């Protein structure tokens, strides 16, 4: 499913989503972000402008000029690879530590179909997510730019936060995966932001591909 986002040149202007600008406006652009396997409610929040969609290349301006605070909701193992300096962190998903028979079976299936390739752990919704965000950001009128790797988990998080009373929410459209070098001026960690969600066997395939590309350029 595609979500079409109409926005101004400057990110801080995105906080006023009352009426889309005319297509003849000299600074008007349209961005299409593909969204898969997500319920309708978060989509409606974004399409209506209740949650403001901000693409990665405009995120720094939204933070520096628009007053947004960046809330990273990725699990800890993704954030350890790469993170935006000064961003807040509350994971929406945490590792499922239950070792009951049914959960163990699910973990084995997960590892066989997904985990070995992606390196992703078997997770569960963080039951304390909203409480942890409230402790970190008690003022629910604070502008929060919610971000994850690909944009799906952060879309779910914005819906939860909106239901819990947060009124100035932004969504990093497409997630960090769509970021390019320089979109966020200060990044910490051993990997690039756009590669932080990649793990397992796919991580080594990526490294080989990047090496081959580098060799090709040198030749």
């Amino acid at each position: 499913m595609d979500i079409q986002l109409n926005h101004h040149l400057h990110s801080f202007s995105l906080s006023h989503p009352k009426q889309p600008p005319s297509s003849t406006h000299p600074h008007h652009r349209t961005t299409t972000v593909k969204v898969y396997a997500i319920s309708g409610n978060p989509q409606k929040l974004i399409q209506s402008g209740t949650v403001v969609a901000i693409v990665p290349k405009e995120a720094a301006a939204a933070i520096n000029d628009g007053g947004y605070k960046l809330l990273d909701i990725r699990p800890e193992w993704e954030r350890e690879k790469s993170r935006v300096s000064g961003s807040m962190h509350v994971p929406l998903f945490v590792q499922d530590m239950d070792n009951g028979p049914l959960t163990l079976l699910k973990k084995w299936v997960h590892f066989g179909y997904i985990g070995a390739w992606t390196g992703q752990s078997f997770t569960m919704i963080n039951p304390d997510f909203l409480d942890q965000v409230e402790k970190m950001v008690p003022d629910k009128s604070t502008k929060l730019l919610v971000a994850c790797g690909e944009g799906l988990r952060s879309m779910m998080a914005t819906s939860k936060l909106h239901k819990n009373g947060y009124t100035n929410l932004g969504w990093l459209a497409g997630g960090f995966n769509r970021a390019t070098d320089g979109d966020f001026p200060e990044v910490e960690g051993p990997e690039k932001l756009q590669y932080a969600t990649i793990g397992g066997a796919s991580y080594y395939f990526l490294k080989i591909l990047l090496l081959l590309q580098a060799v090709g350029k040198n030749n």
Side-chain angles (χ1 to χ4, degrees):
M1 180 177 295
D2 293 352
I3 289 183
Q4 198 170 71
L5 309 173
N6 296 319
H7 50 82
H8 295 286
L9 181 62
H10 300 293
S11 293
F12 57 84
S13 299
L14 296 174
S15 60
H16 304 285
K18 295 180 180 179
Q19 292 294 334
S22 169
S23 59
T24 59
H25 193 285
H27 296 309
H28 177 260
R29 293 197 304 276
T30 298
T31 299
T32 299
V33 177
K34 288 185 179 296
V35 177
Y36 301 99
I38 199 76
S39 62
N41 184 45
Q43 292 179 12
K44 291 178 181 177
L45 290 174
I46 293 168
Q47 290 170 336
S48 67
T50 304
V51 172
V52 180
I54 301 173
V55 294
K57 64 183 176 182
E58 296 184 342
I63 295 168
N64 296 330
D65 302 327
Y68 280 92
K69 296 182 181 297
L70 184 61
L71 175 62
D72 185 345
I73 59 94
R74 296 175 299 167
E76 186 62 42
W77 52 89
E78 288 184 27
R79 183 173 168 84
E80 286 177 352
K81 294 179 183 178
S82 187
R83 57 202 171 273
V84 176
S85 300
S87 61
M88 299 180 291
H89 179 235
V90 178
L92 179 63
F93 287 90
V94 293
Q95 188 169 358
D96 191 340
M97 304 303 293
D98 179 29
N99 289 319
L102 181 58
T103 304
L104 285 175
L105 177 60
K106 291 179 180 179
K107 288 181 179 180
W108 275 108
V109 173
H110 169 83
F111 178 80
Y113 282 93
I114 301 173
W117 175 251
T118 66
Q120 294 291 329
S121 301
F122 189 71
T123 60
M124 56 179 280
I125 288 282
N126 179 4
D128 300 318
F129 174 72
L130 291 175
D131 288 340
Q132 290 171 355
V133 173
E134 282 190 6
K135 288 179 181 178
M136 191 171 291
V137 189
D139 183 358
K140 294 186 177 181
S141 65
T142 301
K143 289 184 175 181
L144 290 178
L145 176 54
V146 187
C148 69
E150 68 296 305
L152 298 180
R153 292 168 294 181
S154 53
M155 187 180 282
M156 184 186 302
T158 58
S159 179
K160 287 180 174 292
L161 292 168
H162 178 262
K163 289 178 181 177
N164 198 46
Y166 285 88
T167 56
N168 287 306
L169 296 170
W171 170 62
L172 188 67
F176 291 125
N177 288 4
R178 294 175 68 94
T180 58
D181 295 346
D183 284 348
F184 296 90
E186 296 185 25
V187 177
E188 302 172 358
E191 298 291 342
K192 293 184 177 182
L193 275 173
Q194 55 267 45
Y195 301 147
T197 59
I198 302 173
S202 62
Y203 173 80
Y204 296 100
F205 276 93
L206 172 66
K207 288 296 184 181
I208 293 172
L209 178 60
L210 293 175
L211 177 62
L212 291 174
Q213 288 178 343
V215 171
K217 289 180 180 179
N218 292 334
N219 292 336

